[in-house]
Amino acid sequence: MNEPHDIKSSRLCNKSCTQELLDWAIQGYDVSMWEWDILKHTATQPIHSSRCACTGTAEYTNFPQCLFEAQHYHEESIQTAQNLFARILAGEEQVTAVLRTYDESTHEYWWEEVRYKTIFDELHRPIKALAMGQDVTEKIEAQKHSEALSNEMRNIVDAIPGGVAIYRVSDIFETVFFSRGVPDLTGYTVEEYHELIKEDAAKMTYPDDTDMVTRKIREACQYNTEADFDFRKQH
């Protein structure tokens, strides 16, 4: 039988190897990880993503206030960050936010998704929080680029004389898009038209024209052809 100190030594070795493997695996995902000791107002960060200028274990005092004092967050993310920490202190178990964070190496701000998992004592009071941060700059910039293109396309469509509308055809005609000109043609405001399109769009045509409109559109969908016709709409 092994001596007690040999067992302890073996356990320490296994724990060290396991931690080393865990650190290596996490670093492969290029994330940062840190632990917030809520009672001591400190944080320890042993794992840094490629976005972080520091290496080794970083220690932070007066956490998280020190982040705001160091202007760690862009001004447009300050309120979001404050809400994040307030939610943790209020007892939420998991909190996620996307923040614009300062990169000390490039002197630029980048987008970071931060996830916190709160640790509680026996009375369910928050005492610690484990956190992981990941660079989502490319994702956010792609979303903003897509939104800009959508807005640009919207402006182009809205400039077309008359109106443009897109419908999803099934048992009903569901309005999925309409330009600003469509409500003008029907005599409604944009807000009123948003309410109207919750119903079957076919009901918005003049009753005597409804069968003709739905038939021609369904035929065009069935045979993948165009349908060109005049019809009356209700006002």
Side-chain angles (χ1 to χ4, degrees):
M1 180 179 293
N2 293 330
E3 295 297 325
H5 68 271
D6 291 333
I7 296 175
K8 182 177 180 181
S9 176
S10 177
R11 288 176 178 173
L12 288 174
C13 180
N14 290 336
K15 183 178 180 180
S16 175
C17 292
T18 301
Q19 184 63 48
E20 184 176 347
L21 286 172
L22 178 61
D23 293 347
W24 175 74
I26 292 174
Q27 288 171 354
Y29 286 98
D30 196 22
V31 297
S32 295
M33 295 193 72
W34 61 97
E35 179 180 324
W36 173 21
D37 190 321
I38 296 174
L39 301 182
K40 295 181 179 180
H41 306 286
T42 60
T44 303
Q45 182 175 353
I47 299 175
H48 309 269
S49 73
S50 58
R51 278 288 191 175
C52 299
C54 56
T55 58
T57 300
E59 303 284 345
Y60 301 92
T61 58
N62 193 29
F63 188 91
Q65 186 58 36
C66 63
L67 299 177
F68 299 100
E69 294 174 352
Q71 297 181 328
H72 184 66
Y73 301 116
H74 190 278
E75 59 182 12
E76 69 182 44
S77 289
I78 291 177
Q79 187 62 57
T80 303
Q82 290 174 337
N83 292 341
L84 178 144
F85 292 117
R87 290 167 61 189
I88 296 170
L89 294 174
E92 289 195 35
E93 186 172 354
Q94 296 188 42
V95 183
T96 302
V98 176
L99 306 166
R100 288 193 70 185
T101 306
Y102 188 66
D103 187 333
E104 295 181 1
S105 59
T106 62
H107 305 291
E108 296 178 343
Y109 285 95
W110 56 288
W111 292 98
E112 181 181 25
E113 182 180 63
V114 179
R115 300 179 182 181
Y116 274 88
K117 179 175 177 57
T118 311
I119 307 299
F120 304 93
D121 63 11
E122 64 278 1
L123 298 178
H124 201 72
R125 294 174 298 193
I127 56 174
K128 291 185 178 181
L130 307 178
M132 180 175 70
Q134 186 172 22
D135 184 358
V136 291
T137 302
E138 290 188 4
K139 176 182 176 181
I140 298 298
E141 290 182 346
Q143 289 177 349
K144 290 183 176 294
H145 181 64
S146 177
E147 291 171 1
L149 288 177
S150 296
N151 291 334
E152 183 179 351
M153 183 59 67
R154 176 86 196 205
N155 292 333
I156 293 174
V157 172
D158 283 335
I160 298 174
V164 176
I166 301 175
Y167 302 95
R168 182 180 293 111
V169 180
S170 58
D171 294 338
I172 65 171
F173 288 76
E174 179 186 355
T175 307
V176 295
F177 172 84
F178 65 87
S179 67
R180 293 189 180 95
V182 174
D184 293 339
L185 290 174
T186 57
Y188 295 100
T189 65
V190 173
E191 292 74 18
E192 290 172 336
Y193 203 77
H194 271 294
E195 291 299 316
L196 288 172
I197 64 174
K198 293 178 180 179
E199 300 289 337
D200 186 347
K203 296 179 180 179
M204 299 171 64
T205 61
Y206 190 67
D208 290 348
D209 294 343
T210 302
D211 288 343
M212 179 271 294
V213 170
T214 57
R215 174 172 49 80
K216 285 185 175 291
I217 293 176
R218 292 188 187 281
E219 288 177 352
C221 292
Q222 180 179 357
Y223 298 108
N224 195 27
T225 59
E226 295 182 2
D228 188 0
F229 54 89
D230 296 325
F231 68 98
R232 294 165 290 180
K233 295 199 69 170
Q234 297 195 71
H235 287 263

